[in-house]
Amino acid sequence: MADGLTDVLADKKALARRRAYEAPLATLNPAWASAFRDDAHWPYFERLRAEDPVHWTPDSNYGAFWSVTKFNDIMAIDTNHQVFSSAKGIGLSPKPGVLPPEAYRERETREGDVGDDANSFINMDPPGHDIQRKTVSPAVAPARLMEMGPVIRERAGLILDALPIGEPFDWVDLVSKELTTMTLATLFDFPFEERRKLTMWSDTMTTAPGHGPWTTYEERRQLLADCRAYFIRLWNERVNARPAGDLISMLAHGADTRGASMDQYFSNVTLLIIGGNDTTRNTISGSVFALNRYPGEYDKLRANPALVPSMVSETIRWQTPLAHMARVASQDFEFKGRRIREGDRVVMWYVSGNRDDEVIADPYNYIIDRPSPRHHLSFGFGIHRCVGNRLAELQLTIIWEEILKRFPEIRLLEEPRRSYSIFIKGYEQMQVVIPRRN
Ligand code: HEM
């Protein structure tokens, strides 16, 4: 699979390694979207885990922040919501002056101190968080997943049967986006023929200008206004209908959410769109990439399809579709000999913890039959642990069971194009060919 881009990436990775090790530790900053795009972020985290596992970056495009890079330390922060609050944003935001002024206007309403009235529950602490989470959890609870399984399987089959044979195509577009969008449309009971709107809105929310469906902030604002208007229309329809099992109906009728402002409702919709789309999509693409990178593992899988569930968990660890989550300290706190001050932002780099060899043996390698494959950080821990984790695993398991029934190989043709983001760790495009059917 060596191609021009692979060579360019090799040079960029070598340069990133030099930079990561030559930079003075006191000012080392691991948050570079370009490094994530070039798959060149690893040395920064390798160095931090070894030399400064709870690390202070005094200044960066995202301001000042702590980086927590080892598995057990990340778990300690993630499970301590009393000290590490989600209410002031759960990511790194560009500091003033880095983006054009219009970019901050929308951000202010999304991430500022707007109070719980306009926040989704991922951006809340207890008790508000727990109440809202309880309202939506039945939509992804085991009983509901049992019902959804056959629907997802049928749709996965339709997607795979329509793929071209012997001709190159973009796996991200034709499979990863399509399957996750279909599932999300099912969860929302969203008009099925318009489901690609969900993909477009999700991409609008998570991409940088020029890396998705928008280039100017005005375009972005308009797309998000369309999304909001569409979902408010669905709320109005469902609130006047009988309660049903879809997420919108659950929010519109739930005792604790039916009185929500439209800002808060839309924040929760946004959370579910992003949560349910990008992450699973990038794991589906990541599985194809990893199995091509590790052909011996692909052989193991073909020989023994019973390995699909553990391959799925290994892919979720290896890919780490969300590179980090952040918290803000609500009080001064002594942690691993460092003094975290009230108001400091603390980033839990899941992408690094999942490569910590004190907890995971041989962590850089993709091993589909490793013991305890679910022991990873990709879904977080504590009260915010991913509510959709079983649904994500279900989709991945089904698509691979169906792939193995149909195709002996999905062959990667060139280096994929990765996302330009320090948060979403994924793929914009991945050219593959399916040489033949079984
Ligand atoms: C492989 C796929 C997925 C990954 C890697 C992933 C990852 C995550 C992570 C890291 C968190 C935050 C955990 C923390 O702060 O401790 C989270 C929360 C969340 N995820 Fe997922 N997710 C995935 C799939 C999904 C799906 C399919 C849904 C759709 C239902 C979903 C919905 C959510 C929601 C609603 C939250 C907020 C939970 C809370 O704040 O209590 N996720 N996810």
Side-chain angles (χ1 to χ4, degrees):
M1 197 214 44
D3 55 47
L5 189 53
T6 313
D7 294 340
V8 173
L9 279 191
D11 290 346
K12 287 185 169 176
K13 284 181 191 181
L15 184 65
R17 175 161 291 276
R18 265 209 319 280
R19 280 200 182 133
Y21 277 91
E22 282 172 4
L25 190 59
T27 52
L28 190 72
N29 168 26
W32 297 105
S34 53
F36 276 91
R37 178 200 55 205
D38 298 338
D39 197 31
H41 53 289
W42 304 106
Y44 291 94
F45 296 111
E46 182 187 277
R47 182 170 180 208
L48 288 180
R49 284 195 304 277
E51 297 178 27
D52 197 20
V54 180
H55 171 76
W56 177 246
T57 298
D59 191 24
S60 76
N61 283 346
Y62 308 93
F65 62 94
W66 292 96
S67 284
V68 182
T69 51
K70 290 190 66 91
F71 193 106
N72 290 325
D73 294 345
I74 290 170
M75 209 143 117
I77 302 285
D78 219 350
T79 50
N80 188 353
H81 61 268
Q82 291 85 354
V83 173
F84 297 102
S85 163
S86 297
K88 292 200 168 139
I90 44 108
L92 284 171
S93 297
K95 71 178 178 188
V98 172
L99 298 179
E102 60 271 26
Y104 295 94
R105 259 171 250 142
E106 187 240 343
R107 230 166 256 278
E108 272 161 27
T109 42
R110 198 154 45 91
E111 281 205 340
D113 290 317
V114 287
D116 282 356
D117 194 42
N119 266 335
S120 69
F121 60 90
I122 202 169
N123 270 108
M124 287 183 192
D125 295 326
H129 163 268
D130 306 9
I131 294 167
Q132 302 234 355
R133 178 174 166 123
K134 219 168 65 208
T135 306
V136 302
S137 336
V140 285
R144 181 85 181 100
L145 295 189
M146 292 273 283
E147 285 168 22
M148 285 179 75
V151 180
I152 296 174
R153 191 174 297 280
E154 191 193 328
R155 290 177 176 168
L158 293 175
I159 293 171
L160 296 175
D161 288 337
L163 293 177
I165 301 295
E167 272 172 45
F169 65 92
D170 177 15
W171 181 266
V172 173
D173 189 39
L174 291 196
V175 183
S176 308
K177 286 188 180 180
E178 194 57 17
L179 184 73
T180 44
T181 302
M182 280 183 173
T183 305
L184 198 59
T186 310
L187 276 177
F188 282 128
D189 194 11
F190 189 90
F192 202 62
E193 60 293 355
E194 296 207 276
R195 64 188 179 279
R196 275 291 174 137
K197 289 197 157 127
L198 290 171
T199 323
M200 186 185 58
W201 290 329
S202 176
D203 288 350
T204 303
M205 290 165 193
T206 57
T207 52
H211 291 265
W214 60 284
T215 40
T216 67
Y217 285 90
E218 178 49 31
E219 277 169 7
R220 183 175 198 270
R221 203 193 54 71
Q222 188 53 54
L223 284 164
L224 294 182
D226 295 347
C227 174
R228 185 185 153 101
Y230 200 110
F231 272 92
I232 289 177
R233 180 164 65 71
L234 292 180
W235 166 288
N236 288 334
E237 285 167 17
R238 309 266 159 100
V239 82
N240 295 316
R242 294 239 311 270
D246 67 273
L247 280 166
I248 299 171
S249 181
M250 280 174 161
L251 289 169
H253 291 275
D256 297 306
T257 46
R258 64 180 171 225
S261 68
M262 284 300 103
D263 279 348
Q264 189 178 55
Y265 159 66
F266 187 59
S267 294
N268 279 332
V269 165
T270 307
L271 166 64
L272 291 159
I273 291 179
I274 299 175
N277 237 359
D278 272 279
T279 49
T280 316
R281 172 205 300 181
N282 288 321
T283 314
I284 296 175
S285 305
S287 60
V288 169
F289 179 67
L291 289 167
N292 273 269
R293 237 324 162 71
Y294 294 83
E297 301 303 297
Y298 206 167
D299 288 342
K300 273 190 210 165
L301 185 69
R302 271 186 289 253
N304 182 9
L307 286 174
V308 166
S310 79
M311 178 277 279
V312 164
S313 290
E314 174 66 348
T315 309
I316 294 171
R317 177 194 73 85
W318 192 82
Q319 178 62 34
T320 316
L322 293 183
H324 73 268
M325 285 277 161
R327 302 288 187 260
V328 173
S330 56
Q331 60 188 71
D332 289 0
F333 192 71
E334 197 75 24
F335 187 65
K336 299 277 157 174
R338 308 300 303 265
R339 185 141 190 85
I340 297 175
R341 305 225 170 247
E342 181 182 346
D344 285 353
R345 192 164 291 268
V346 179
V347 180
M348 304 174 286
W349 290 104
Y350 299 140
V351 66
S352 171
N354 277 339
R355 294 292 185 275
D356 181 352
D357 61 9
E358 283 176 20
V359 176
I360 297 168
D362 199 4
Y364 281 89
N365 278 327
Y366 179 74
I367 304 170
I368 66 167
D369 52 355
R370 60 167 71 241
S372 313
R374 291 195 92 237
H375 192 52
H376 60 68
L377 292 166
S378 301
F379 290 129
F381 275 98
I383 60 165
H384 291 280
R385 182 172 166 80
C386 178
V387 78
N389 73 83
R390 294 288 179 183
L391 175 61
E393 290 172 346
L394 181 71
Q395 290 179 76
L396 262 301
T397 301
I398 290 176
I399 190 88
W400 269 101
E401 285 170 353
E402 296 304 312
I403 289 170
L404 291 173
K405 282 182 202 162
R406 288 169 173 77
F407 311 129
E409 185 188 9
I410 300 159
R411 188 181 302 161
L412 190 67
L413 291 176
E414 58 189 28
E415 193 67 36
R417 208 167 67 217
R418 292 181 174 78
S419 311
Y420 180 81
S421 170
I422 58 164
F423 182 58
I424 303 280
K425 193 168 157 297
Y427 307 88
E428 286 180 10
Q429 202 192 74
M430 189 177 287
Q431 288 296 317
V432 301
V433 71
I434 299 177
R436 61 186 174 83
R437 290 184 210 280
N438 276 340

